[in-house]
Amino acid sequence: MARRATTVRPSIGQYLIQRLQDYGVRHVFGIPGDYILGFYDQLSRSPLSVVGTAKEDGAGFAADAYARVHGMGACCVTYCVGGLSVANAVAGAYAEKSPVVVITGSPGLRERTNDPLLHHKVRTFATQREIFEKITVAAVVIDDLETAYRDIDLALAACWKQKRPVYIELPRDMVDRVPEHPYRRTDLDEQSDPATLAEAVAEAVARLRAAKRPVILADVEIHRYGLQYELITLSELTGIPIAVTILGKSVVGELHPNYLGIYEGAMGRDSVRATVEGSDCLLMLGTFLTDVNLGIFTARLDPALTIEATSEKVQISRHRYDGLSLGDFLRGLLAAKLPRRAKPRPAVKRVKPAVAVPDAKLTVTRLFRLLDARLSDDLAVVCDVGLCLFGAIDLTIHRGTEFIAPAYYTSMGFAVPASIGVGLANPRTRPVVLVGDGAFQMTGMELSTAVRQGLAPIVLVLDNHGYTTERCIQDGPYNDILGWNYHRIPEVLGAGWGALVRTEGEFAAAWAHAIADRTGFSLLSLQLDANDGCPALTRLGQRMAENLAEPITGARRGPRP
């Protein structure tokens, strides 16, 4: 008698692992705990690599950077003490549109009878989920056996489509359970309405054809939705130059002849500002109009002269089109075969590469010029905030998506753990980490994770004895921190190589050693004066100091136009 073939359904945990792989995830960052150990055991027996970090926020930053490079990232932590520790990193991913899947364990459903005071619990069993509802686009608890697969699918689809974090909570007694009934997955493929798309493209094309000084302003969503090819093709076919925002830096390789530079209102270079603000048709692609991107609201962009296309809308002057895909709109512009501008734009004059003066004391301005001369195609810059970020604005990034920084949310401590995500997401590139001493003291010991993963980042610690950004805004003893012997961190970890750098000659020698040594991380402790800054950071500090000093009378004021 022949047996009827049966379909073996995976457990809930196994299904989640398979779906993560379907979206291209190959690494999961995190720290185990008793409420998530069952799922960790499944992970350890799966094709996914589990990357244990030193702290949960390090796992979140690493997953965020991994997502920016690879398309989607994932972190896995235990209930509340792990979940709430990773919340800041997840909030940054939400703010900057980075698709991170947060997987957390929780007490089993059978353990919750009579509302017991179980360890790690805060207020109610729902508290952690309620917090993550505010910083994710979907937050689900897998507490129903028959809807578990569907809930996982909907959460991951939201993460992929909206390019923002999602939260999936696995009660520990649900991880190994298998739904009894068959489930047919339905992949949602949302497409732009053809009539709306045609009308929006036609209006945009008419404006671009009539323009004499069109400019493209590209931003973060070009990164997130993988539209770099379409952007470059549009620029090359039409001759329209490209400026980018700080958050969009490296969306195009900065050696491209059509690249203008970074636009940040009055905070940036006058030549870039004049070209962008003087455009009679500014095509804003994937833009995210934050205060930092707009130079603390010093930007002067006339809405009547703009075409703004994002994942949420297309707005041409004051005509708004909803429900359109950014990619569909860009491809529509390409299909329209816009004419090439008759007059080519003059080539950008590149600054002559800096040469180290052996005995000259190292300064911030010279550091970034010396570093710029040493960047190559196989290096990715992973940047922390403050002096590092604003000093790095003028670094020449050779390839697309090789500058990673929290340029809007600006959370300190991002860079070192983020370099782990970058290194694992794209092993062909070597991370160069720019981090201040204050930020390094927060998360720098994630270098132990880099050692375990066999990574070799080059870490430049800008040691100026405190918080430089705050000094530029309002100085005080609260901006000072304890000095560390950063170059001796390799002795603590038993791996890596460190150097103390005071002069330009010492920097050149230490950099050459670091580039040649791929056996582990290299840490260069760069000794800088406490009040040595860069022009962009100085301008930022002055602007923010004005806002701090400005009295508020009557109703609270919003940001200045």
Side-chain angles (χ1 to χ4, degrees):
M1 182 177 178
R3 293 185 179 180
R4 179 180 298 176
T6 59
T7 301
V8 178
R9 286 184 288 275
S11 70
I12 291 171
Q14 290 169 338
Y15 185 78
L16 175 55
I17 289 170
Q18 180 57 59
R19 296 299 285 132
L20 288 172
Q21 293 178 80
D22 291 343
Y23 280 96
V25 175
R26 298 291 178 263
H27 298 79
V28 177
F29 304 87
I31 296 177
D34 62 330
Y35 289 121
I36 195 65
L37 282 178
F39 185 64
Y40 258 85
D41 189 58
Q42 289 188 357
L43 282 173
S44 68
R45 291 183 277 109
S46 79
L48 297 179
S49 296
V50 180
V51 181
T53 56
K55 197 170 180 293
E56 285 89 355
D57 58 350
F61 288 136
D64 179 356
Y66 186 94
R68 297 180 192 217
V69 174
H70 197 66
M72 182 183 283
C75 61
C76 185
V77 295
T78 194
Y79 185 57
C80 284
V81 294
L84 300 185
S85 290
V86 83
N88 176 62
V90 175
Y94 182 93
E96 299 191 2
K97 297 190 174 182
S98 184
V100 174
V101 181
V102 182
I103 304 163
T104 173
S106 65
L109 299 179
R110 292 187 294 271
E111 299 176 75
R112 305 185 188 194
T113 305
N114 299 324
D115 197 23
L117 296 178
L118 300 180
H119 64 284
H120 299 342
K121 177 184 173 186
V122 180
R123 194 167 182 176
T124 73
F125 288 111
T127 298
Q128 180 178 247
R129 173 186 57 77
E130 291 168 349
I131 290 171
F132 273 89
E133 284 178 343
K134 308 298 183 183
I135 55 175
T136 62
V137 293
V140 297
V141 178
I142 309 302
D143 55 5
D144 186 329
L145 188 62
E146 296 310 317
T147 64
Y149 290 174
R150 182 204 66 185
D151 291 343
I152 289 170
D153 283 344
L154 290 176
L156 295 180
C159 183
W160 185 256
K161 180 179 183 295
Q162 299 185 50
K163 306 301 181 186
R164 276 183 158 143
V166 296
Y167 168 91
I168 299 175
E169 181 179 319
L170 292 175
R172 62 177 166 185
D173 58 4
M174 296 293 286
V175 173
D176 291 315
R177 297 192 65 185
V178 179
E180 297 178 3
H181 299 102
Y183 167 72
R184 177 172 293 179
R185 189 170 77 238
T186 302
D187 293 323
L188 301 177
D189 185 17
E190 298 185 17
Q191 296 180 341
S192 302
D193 176 71
T196 306
L197 177 63
E199 186 175 330
V201 169
E203 184 176 357
V205 166
R207 285 180 172 257
L208 288 166
R209 286 181 183 276
K212 295 181 179 180
R213 300 180 306 280
V215 173
I216 295 171
L217 180 61
D219 201 356
V220 63
E221 286 193 340
I222 299 295
H223 279 301
R224 302 297 185 259
Y225 288 92
L227 296 170
Q228 292 93 332
Y229 172 79
E230 287 84 350
L231 170 67
I232 291 294
T233 302
L234 179 64
S235 175
E236 291 178 345
L237 290 177
T238 62
I240 300 176
I242 303 172
V244 302
T245 65
I246 300 177
L247 198 57
K249 183 174 172 66
S250 84
V251 72
V252 55
E254 295 175 0
L255 295 175
H256 194 283
N258 285 4
Y259 175 68
L260 281 173
I262 289 182
Y263 173 73
E264 48 177 336
M267 309 291 292
R269 287 185 176 181
D270 288 340
S271 59
V272 178
R273 178 192 58 77
T275 303
V276 171
E277 295 181 0
S279 171
D280 58 352
C281 186
L282 183 63
L283 179 57
M284 301 167 63
L285 297 175
T287 44
F288 203 33
L289 303 182
T290 73
D291 59 345
V292 177
N293 270 355
L294 295 180
I296 313 301
F297 298 117
T298 60
R300 294 291 182 264
L301 304 178
D302 185 350
L305 301 177
T306 62
I307 300 170
E308 184 183 2
T310 71
S311 63
E312 299 172 359
K313 67 176 182 180
V314 172
Q315 185 158 324
I316 303 173
S317 185
R318 292 173 176 81
H319 301 164
R320 176 169 174 144
Y321 301 88
D322 290 319
L324 299 181
S325 156
L326 174 59
D328 287 345
F329 180 75
L330 247 177
R331 287 184 284 271
L333 294 181
L334 286 172
K337 297 181 179 179
L338 288 159
R340 183 172 179 83
R341 298 172 68 214
K343 187 177 181 179
R345 191 178 63 82
V348 177
K349 292 182 179 179
R350 298 292 173 186
V351 177
K352 187 177 181 181
V355 177
V357 179
D359 296 327
K361 183 178 179 181
L362 191 65
T363 65
V364 170
T365 300
R366 288 288 294 170
L367 165 64
F368 284 99
R369 287 201 61 194
L370 291 168
L371 177 59
D372 192 47
R374 287 163 172 77
L375 293 180
S376 57
D377 289 357
D378 62 340
L379 298 175
V381 176
V382 186
C383 195
D384 221 285
V385 301
L387 179 60
C388 297
L389 176 61
F390 288 95
I393 285 175
D394 291 327
L395 290 179
T396 305
I397 306 302
H398 292 212
R399 296 176 182 265
T401 316
E402 290 190 351
F403 182 86
I404 309 294
Y408 165 44
Y409 189 63
T410 58
S411 178
M412 291 176 65
F414 174 87
V416 173
S419 73
I420 296 164
V422 171
L424 293 174
N426 185 1
R428 294 187 302 275
T429 62
R430 188 179 186 188
V432 175
V433 180
L434 295 170
V435 58
D437 50 345
F440 186 90
Q441 290 192 13
M442 293 180 178
T443 58
M445 297 310 286
E446 290 292 353
L447 284 176
S448 63
T449 308
V451 172
R452 293 182 65 194
Q453 294 299 315
L455 300 173
I458 300 173
V459 182
L460 308 184
V461 179
L462 279 64
D463 184 4
N464 51 17
H465 321 296
Y467 306 129
T468 304
T469 304
E470 280 68 28
R471 285 175 179 149
C472 291
I473 301 170
Q474 180 172 295
D475 201 5
Y478 36 77
N479 291 325
D480 300 332
I481 63 173
L482 179 68
W484 288 11
N485 292 320
Y486 301 98
H487 62 293
R488 301 189 70 178
I489 294 293
E491 297 177 36
V492 177
L493 300 182
W497 175 81
L500 186 66
V501 174
R502 299 184 181 88
T503 68
E504 293 186 13
E506 290 174 346
F507 173 77
W511 178 268
H513 184 284
I515 285 292
D517 182 5
R518 289 182 172 267
T519 61
F521 73 86
S522 296
L523 191 155
L524 280 58
S525 179
L526 311 177
Q527 302 300 293
L528 302 167
D529 287 343
N531 295 311
D532 183 13
C534 65
L537 182 61
T538 301
R539 292 192 296 269
L540 173 74
Q542 291 171 347
R543 179 71 180 181
M544 297 187 76
E546 291 171 5
N547 292 341
L548 187 68
E550 184 177 335
I552 299 177
T553 58
R556 181 177 294 274
R557 301 180 186 178
R560 294 187 232 176

